[in-house]
Amino acid sequence: MEHLLPLKVEFLLMFGIALFWTIVYILVIYKGFKDQACGMPLACICANITWEFLFTFIMPFHPLQQIATLIWFLLDCIILLQFLYYSKGTYPKRVIHASVFALLVIAFLLHYGMAVEFHDKMGIYSAFGINLLMSILFIRMLMIKDLKGQSLSIAYFKMIGTLFASILCFSLFPQSLLLFIMYILILVLDIAYILLVYRLSIKTVHKHTINKIPHINA
């Protein structure tokens, strides 16, 4: 592990990661209740929860980070409950519960396996793997559900939080080609997601404006 940046800068980046990702989860929860729809794909929820569980309760690597991951874990549990509640009627309850259980087990085993195999006590490889998955599936969710459960604020804070993490991890592991590739891919996808959300937001506002204009009968 190297330190290309001063320790104070690294600490500020760590604080920014914790702050911005906490805001993301809170905004997802708020928008989910507002739109009555879960604002995060199930695969992302399960990947997040199991990563946070692993590095909060089983393999903690820093007291301050442990606090952040515990907060994220609790917030993600609320998001999972939102998914279970708003998915009622979409699929049979047994199918939904079985899918959630299977994804939680698979995600946990993959996180643990990567941590052991890559000697990654901080869970960095799996964390950026989750981020890449989220960047892809958030775009897919936008195409399927439009803006239900999503917002421009979520898109911006998600990108900023991950960008801070990318800069910090590049400072610590500048030699990792795999991580560098994921930094770039995630940033490109996050920018694309912001542009797509912005475009849909403009269309929605324009549509509502037209609908409010009174029609004059000839």
Side-chain angles (χ1 to χ4, degrees), residues 5 47 137 147 169 195:
L5 295 173
L137 293 186
L147 289 172
C169 289
L195 294 175

Side-chain angles (χ1 to χ4, degrees), residues 31 39 135 138-143 146-156 158 189-205:
K31 196 68 164 56
S135 296
F138 265 62
I139 292 175
R140 180 180 179 274
M141 184 173 63
L142 192 65
M143 294 177 177
D146 288 333
L147 289 172
K148 291 193 70 174
Q150 301 175 81
S151 69
L152 199 54
S153 298
I154 293 172
Y156 274 121
K158 177 182 179 301
L189 290 169
D190 283 351
I191 292 173
Y193 178 64
I194 288 173
L195 294 175
L196 289 170
V197 173
Y198 178 77
R199 184 180 177 184
L200 277 176
S201 300
I202 294 297
K203 283 185 176 180
T204 302
V205 172

Side-chain angles (χ1 to χ4, degrees), residues 61-72:
F61 54 86
H62 191 281
L64 293 178
Q65 182 62 35
Q66 192 175 14
I67 294 172
T69 52
L70 175 60
I71 293 172
W72 295 344

Side-chain angles (χ1 to χ4, degrees), residues 7-166:
L7 292 179
K8 288 184 178 180
V9 175
E10 290 183 355
F11 177 80
L12 288 174
L13 288 171
M14 289 178 62
F15 178 79
I17 296 166
L19 175 64
F20 289 120
W21 268 103
T22 300
I23 293 174
V24 168
Y25 292 137
I26 292 173
L27 289 175
V28 168
I29 292 169
Y30 168 77
K31 196 68 164 56
F33 283 127
K34 182 179 179 181
D35 295 349
Q36 296 187 351
C38 182
M40 190 179 293
L42 178 60
C44 299
I45 300 172
C46 294
N48 280 331
I49 284 181
T50 49
W51 188 92
E52 291 149 3
F53 179 85
L54 178 63
F55 292 102
T56 298
F57 301 107
I58 300 177
M59 300 174 65
F61 54 86
H62 191 281
L64 293 178
Q65 182 62 35
Q66 192 175 14
I67 294 172
T69 52
L70 175 60
I71 293 172
W72 295 344
F73 173 76
L74 296 175
L75 292 173
D76 271 320
C77 286
I78 297 174
I79 296 173
L80 178 58
L81 291 175
Q82 282 185 325
F83 173 84
L84 293 173
Y85 182 78
Y86 293 124
S87 296
K88 290 189 299 184
T90 306
Y91 298 100
K93 186 181 293 186
R94 290 183 179 180
V95 173
I96 294 174
H97 289 177
S99 300
V100 171
F101 178 76
L103 285 173
L104 288 173
V105 172
I106 292 170
F108 179 82
L109 292 175
L110 287 175
H111 293 328
Y112 181 76
M114 290 179 70
V116 174
E117 184 78 13
F118 295 155
H119 306 287
D120 185 14
K121 297 180 180 180
M122 298 170 63
I124 292 176
Y125 287 95
S126 53
F128 278 97
I130 295 171
N131 265 284
L132 182 58
L133 176 69
M134 292 182 70
S135 296
I136 295 171
L137 293 186
F138 265 62
I139 292 175
R140 180 180 179 274
M141 184 173 63
L142 192 65
M143 294 177 177
I144 296 173
K145 300 169 62 175
D146 288 333
L147 289 172
K148 291 193 70 174
Q150 301 175 81
S151 69
L152 199 54
S153 298
I154 293 172
Y156 274 121
F157 284 118
K158 177 182 179 301
M159 184 189 72
I160 295 171
T162 307
L163 183 59
F164 277 26
S166 298

